[in-house]
Amino acid sequence: MNILFEEEGGFKAGSVLADNTTSLQVELPSGKRSKVKAANVLLRFAAPSAAELLARAESEAAAMDADFLWEACPDGEFGFEEMAADYYGHSPAPAEAAALLLRLHAAPMYFHRKGKGRFRKAPPEILQAAKAGLEKKRLQAEAQERMAEELKAGRLPAEFPPLLREMLYKPDRNRIETKALEAACAETGLSAPRLLEKCGAITDTHKYHLGRFLFEFFPKGTEFPALPGKTETAPPSLPRQAGEAGGEGAADFAGLPLAAVQAFSIDDAHTTEIDDALSVVFQPDGGLRVGIHIAAPGLGFGLDSELGGIARERLSTVYMPGRKITMLPDPVVERFTLSAGRDVPAVSMYLEVAPDLRILGHESRIERVPVVANLRHHDIEPLFNEQTLQAGLGEFPFRDELKRLWELAAVLEAGRGKAGKQNQRKDYNFHVDWARTSPQGPGWIEIEERPRGSPLDTLVAELMIVANATWGSQLAAAKVGALYRAQTTGKVRMTTVPAPHEGLGVDCYTWTTSPLRRYADLVNQWQLIALLRQETPPFPLKSAELLAAMRDFDATYSAYADFQRGMERYWCLRWLLQQGRTTLTGQVIRENLVRCDDLPLVLRVPSLPACDPGQAVALAVEGIDLLDAEIRPRFVEMLTSPAPDGVFDEERGEEGDEEAPE
């Protein structure tokens, strides 16, 4: 006796060795023996053999039409042997009954199982829906195969252009387009960006790298939302300058006192968000009254305003060579930037300085400040630098003020314990001329080197440190919540608790001097304004909102800085290709890391032999890949010129943070 039985979702046949009523001992055609429950037995037969039954049944089942079976079967529940008798028109042979069972089991779309060997036909509407789904899958499979073949042939499928951003930066693996791309990449051995570039989808590598950043951080675009009632000059929600036309009921800054100073700013040529300016009043006894004036957007809108929400969302201006994405809309920046020829609202700190450059006291005010000049580095540095200071300064605007401020800065630097610590690192200014085109795409890059720690840098940085440290201490002493920068061990961190900043040598440090471009500074300005006006600050001490603002700012600011470094690296590679450079020199940082001499570029050189940090080396450029923003350098030889002190120091101090190039 042989049996057909169900096991693990399939059907098997075997010869019965022993029948114990509730279970049977069965030998399968393979020779394996198995114990089968009697409840799982579907058919008992003497002939043919178990192996022959399954072979004949599978062959016959393949020829059965599922649609015909569905039409022929009864509407109610039925057993497979009953259906086999109707189908064949006679009592079915074992192989015939088994064939029908296998066909019914293999068509779950047509027949729903209702128990051991029993089925029920699917309702017509369910069957039609299932057929439509099956047809859709078939068409999708054909489309997927077609798109994969087109990609392998170097052609971009018509379905791809509307989906390119998502496919490049965050592919949806459930889409057939993504599956086709992955299949084509697997067969060609190319990455998705490389294959899409081959198909003509990526024609501008700069747009590709910028697009990745925008896709993640600005998915809705970089344009600002329309401000209600916006005029040509400014949104009506902002106070107007004295005498400026505005809507009915518009406030202005005329009520603020006008400072009796002549303020000037110091920035690079491309700065538009001018956050800080300085002023000097020479006293009869040889002392000074030094003004540090900070733009005050915090006077124009508050935390809960629409502009406050925009600043909270963006958190910082994004800088990159050739472009920037501002934290605040242009009309707001234009209203509060410290541009020359205007009386601009500001939060000012005045330092009373003795003739020997000791600071005797300080005072903070909310006022209007007359800005008379915007000095630019490229104009002033040739006239005011270490060499001209030693040889004697010529005549130029604000000569005496700058010289005296530089002398004060040297005293302030010594007071922090930083005197004599010369920073040998260099700064670089990137300028992209979008009106020109290089062989690598739109834009012609120029990279200008300028030493860090010039007299201009020093005087601005030291005065910003004084302002940030002093205002931070005032906020802490008054128990007003603020965002602080601290460094006690290791890296600099953001905190809501005042703590020393060992890198700067100060007991307390905030960011307050860049409120047009950093949300942390804007938050601190709101808090400082409330303190100076003796009002309730918008952020209570230790509030959850202040902590959330700190965390979001810290993460976003770091991400923006990483992006800026990545784009600077990209433009360095563009510059090398543009200039046709095939050789480089640099200084070893450690192991196989080399910092280039004339570019802000750090390279990993696998072929570099073991050598000491600071060793000068010559490298050959074997290839540059702008899509991956990678360069293949090769070690050529050791050079004899020594590395300047500190050239292989990876950490950057924060003295330059306030005046980071835009």
Side-chain angles (χ1 to χ4, degrees):
M1 179 62 68
N2 302 313
I3 62 170
L4 178 69
F5 62 95
E6 186 173 5
E7 184 178 79
E8 297 178 351
F11 298 105
K12 298 180 181 180
S15 302
V16 177
L17 300 178
D19 189 345
N20 300 319
T21 309
T22 59
S23 64
L24 300 88
Q25 290 289 333
V26 177
E27 183 177 8
L28 302 178
S30 64
K32 179 182 176 182
R33 296 189 175 187
S34 179
K35 182 178 180 180
V36 179
K37 293 181 179 180
N40 293 337
V41 176
L42 296 167
L43 190 65
R44 294 173 184 260
F45 59 95
S49 66
E52 185 181 353
L53 175 93
L54 285 177
R56 287 169 55 185
E58 288 171 356
S59 175
E60 196 164 335
M64 292 181 176
D65 182 17
D67 287 297
F68 175 77
L69 289 176
W70 186 85
E71 292 286 351
C73 72
D75 292 334
E77 187 178 315
F78 61 89
F80 74 95
E81 291 182 279
E82 303 167 30
M83 181 60 187
D86 291 341
Y87 180 78
Y88 288 102
H90 59 78
S91 180
E96 293 174 335
L100 190 71
L101 173 64
L102 294 181
R103 190 66 186 97
L104 294 174
H105 179 76
M109 184 173 71
Y110 290 83
F111 307 102
H112 299 167
R113 293 197 61 179
K114 292 298 179 181
K116 185 182 72 171
R118 300 193 65 78
F119 298 86
R120 188 185 186 104
K121 68 189 300 184
E125 63 277 7
I126 293 179
L127 179 60
Q128 291 305 314
K131 283 184 175 181
L134 197 62
E135 178 66 10
K136 181 180 178 181
K137 288 183 179 179
R138 184 187 68 79
L139 294 175
Q140 286 180 338
E142 290 179 356
Q144 179 178 323
E145 184 177 358
R146 171 185 56 79
M147 289 187 287
E149 291 300 322
E150 289 185 44
L151 289 167
K152 288 189 291 183
R155 299 190 304 273
L156 189 69
E159 296 88 344
F160 274 49
L163 304 171
L164 273 178
R165 292 179 70 235
E166 290 79 3
M167 297 186 72
L168 282 170
Y169 308 131
K170 192 178 180 181
D172 180 356
R173 305 193 70 180
N174 292 320
R175 297 190 64 97
I176 61 170
E177 292 85 357
T178 303
K179 294 176 181 178
L181 179 60
E182 290 178 344
C185 289
E187 293 190 38
T188 59
L190 300 175
S191 66
R194 186 70 61 197
L195 181 57
L196 290 172
E197 181 189 39
K198 179 183 175 184
C199 295
I202 301 175
T203 57
D204 186 334
T205 53
H206 175 263
K207 285 185 178 179
Y208 166 70
H209 292 292
L210 175 60
R212 180 183 298 278
F213 172 78
L214 296 178
F215 182 82
E216 180 177 357
F217 290 96
F218 294 88
K220 298 179 182 179
T222 59
E223 296 298 321
F224 289 95
L227 298 173
K230 178 180 175 181
T231 68
E232 292 184 359
T233 54
S237 58
L238 290 177
R240 265 85 177 148
Q241 304 282 24
E244 182 181 19
E248 183 179 354
D252 59 41
F253 295 121
L256 296 178
L258 182 64
V261 299
Q262 300 289 298
F264 58 92
S265 66
I266 305 172
D267 294 282
D268 68 40
H270 305 292
T271 300
T272 57
E273 300 158 294
I274 304 175
D275 292 288
D276 55 85
L278 305 172
S279 65
V280 178
V281 175
F282 293 96
Q283 306 290 25
D285 64 353
L288 307 171
R289 182 173 172 82
V290 176
I292 305 169
H293 311 287
I294 307 302
L299 292 172
F301 59 91
L303 170 64
D304 297 324
S305 66
E306 185 174 4
L307 286 172
I310 290 173
R312 177 67 174 83
E313 182 179 0
R314 296 205 171 191
L315 294 166
S316 172
T317 291
V318 183
Y319 294 103
M320 70 197 87
R323 184 180 178 184
K324 66 180 176 181
I325 305 170
T326 59
M327 180 178 74
L328 296 171
D330 286 344
V332 181
V333 173
E334 291 167 7
R335 172 57 49 81
F336 292 102
T337 188
L338 303 183
S339 55
R342 301 193 304 167
D343 299 340
V344 189
V347 179
S348 300
M349 174 179 291
Y350 290 96
L351 305 178
E352 298 296 338
V353 182
D356 60 359
L357 300 178
R358 288 178 296 112
I359 295 181
L360 303 176
H362 61 82
E363 177 189 8
S364 297
R365 292 182 179 179
I366 299 171
E367 58 187 3
R368 287 182 295 132
V369 174
V371 181
V372 297
N374 297 133
L375 306 183
R376 301 298 183 176
H377 287 152
H378 68 279
D379 293 325
I380 298 299
E381 280 192 330
L383 307 173
F384 185 81
N385 53 58
E386 292 183 355
Q387 290 73 33
T388 57
L389 282 167
Q390 292 176 359
L393 296 173
E395 291 292 332
F396 59 89
F398 300 99
R399 179 196 65 177
D400 297 336
E401 289 87 345
L402 290 175
K403 184 174 185 297
R404 200 61 173 145
L405 288 176
W406 176 69
E407 294 169 347
L408 172 62
V411 173
L412 294 173
E413 189 177 41
R416 296 189 297 112
K418 303 296 178 180
K421 295 185 178 180
Q422 295 297 319
N423 193 337
Q424 299 295 332
R425 296 285 296 277
K426 304 171 184 176
D427 276 334
Y428 294 86
N429 293 330
F430 291 76
H431 175 65
V432 180
D433 184 356
W434 293 109
R436 300 179 64 185
T437 300
S438 72
Q440 295 75 40
W444 187 271
I445 180 65
E446 295 180 4
I447 302 176
E448 176 188 358
E449 176 185 308
R450 66 183 294 268
R452 177 177 295 190
S454 68
L456 278 180
D457 288 345
T458 299
L459 73 86
V460 172
E462 288 300 327
L463 291 172
M464 295 306 112
I465 291 172
V466 167
N468 285 325
T470 304
W471 277 330
S473 297
Q474 283 185 266
L475 291 167
K479 299 189 183 305
V480 174
L483 302 180
Y484 298 92
R485 301 278 289 176
Q487 184 184 28
T488 50
T489 54
K491 290 184 64 176
V492 180
R493 69 185 191 280
M494 299 289 295
T495 174
T496 57
V497 179
H501 194 305
E502 294 178 351
L504 296 178
V506 294
D507 295 330
C508 183
Y509 190 72
T510 57
W511 268 350
T512 57
T513 53
S514 298
L516 290 173
R517 59 188 180 95
R518 285 194 305 231
Y519 188 69
D521 302 59
L522 181 59
V523 166
N524 287 332
Q525 186 174 89
W526 280 326
Q527 301 293 90
L528 181 61
I529 289 171
L531 173 62
L532 297 178
R533 288 178 166 176
Q534 298 184 344
E535 299 172 349
T536 302
F539 290 96
L541 185 67
K542 299 182 180 179
S543 68
E545 292 79 8
L546 183 63
L547 184 62
M550 180 198 74
R551 289 175 175 170
D552 291 346
F553 170 79
D554 198 20
T556 302
Y557 191 72
S558 297
Y560 289 179
D562 288 342
F563 168 70
Q564 180 180 355
R565 285 190 289 269
M567 293 308 291
E568 288 177 353
R569 178 181 178 86
Y570 167 83
W571 282 108
C572 285
L573 301 184
R574 282 276 297 261
W575 184 86
L576 290 172
L577 290 171
Q578 179 181 293
Q579 302 298 321
R581 290 282 297 271
T582 58
T583 59
L584 291 168
T585 60
Q587 315 290 338
V588 176
I589 301 172
R590 62 173 184 274
E591 298 174 351
N592 61 357
L593 289 180
V594 175
R595 177 178 286 115
C596 295
D597 286 336
D598 52 1
L599 288 173
L601 193 60
V602 174
L603 305 178
R604 190 173 296 277
V605 187
S607 58
L608 184 70
C611 56
D612 295 331
Q615 172 64 50
V617 295
L619 306 174
V621 178
E622 295 192 326
I624 292 176
D625 186 339
L626 292 178
L627 190 65
D628 292 332
E630 292 294 340
I631 180 173
R632 296 195 308 276
R634 175 175 55 83
F635 170 77
V636 176
E637 62 178 334
M638 303 285 185
L639 301 178
T640 56
S641 58
D645 293 340
V647 74
F648 47 87
D649 180 10
E650 280 285 80
E651 296 299 324
R652 293 190 179 192
E654 284 206 30
E655 287 86 343
D657 281 359
E658 297 303 331
E659 296 303 310
E662 296 196 8

